[in-house]
Amino acid sequence: SGGMKYDKMIAVNKAESEQKIKKAIRAIDDMSARGMPISVTELVRWTGLSRGFFIRICKSVRDLRKLSNCHGG
């Protein structure tokens, strides 16, 4: 049927997103511990994750909602 491969793909993507989110939150913790300004740009540099990823998740992840420029800055 091919349906299972799709489900597995979704599961992998979900696990991958969770890892990225954990990485993002850890980066925010590290950056705030160092008194660094936390912005999407800095997070991209710090984590190597894509800008679109942060913009997508910052609306749903509690720790990321306090990003000053969640919406792209």
Side-chain angles (χ1 to χ4, degrees):
S1 65
M4 197 175 139
K5 191 185 270 177
Y6 184 68
D7 291 342
K8 196 181 251 175
M9 202 167 73
I10 292 201
V12 168
N13 285 345
K14 193 163 186 266
E16 202 173 88
S17 303
E18 280 169 20
Q19 281 182 318
K20 286 179 181 176
I21 287 168
K22 285 191 185 115
K23 187 177 188 180
I25 290 168
R26 198 176 307 128
I28 288 169
D29 288 344
D30 289 349
M31 288 164 76
S32 50
R34 291 164 192 239
M36 293 169 68
I38 298 164
S39 67
V40 172
T41 308
E42 286 302 316
L43 281 167
V44 167
R45 197 174 298 153
W46 191 265
T47 60
L49 299 171
S50 77
R51 190 184 185 79
F53 171 76
F54 285 106
I55 290 163
R56 201 163 63 243
I57 67 167
C58 73
K59 293 175 181 65
S60 56
V61 177
R62 190 168 40 86
D63 293 323
L64 292 175
R65 284 194 191 134
K66 42 183 191 277
L67 275 182
S68 54
N69 47 5
C70 183
H71 305 289

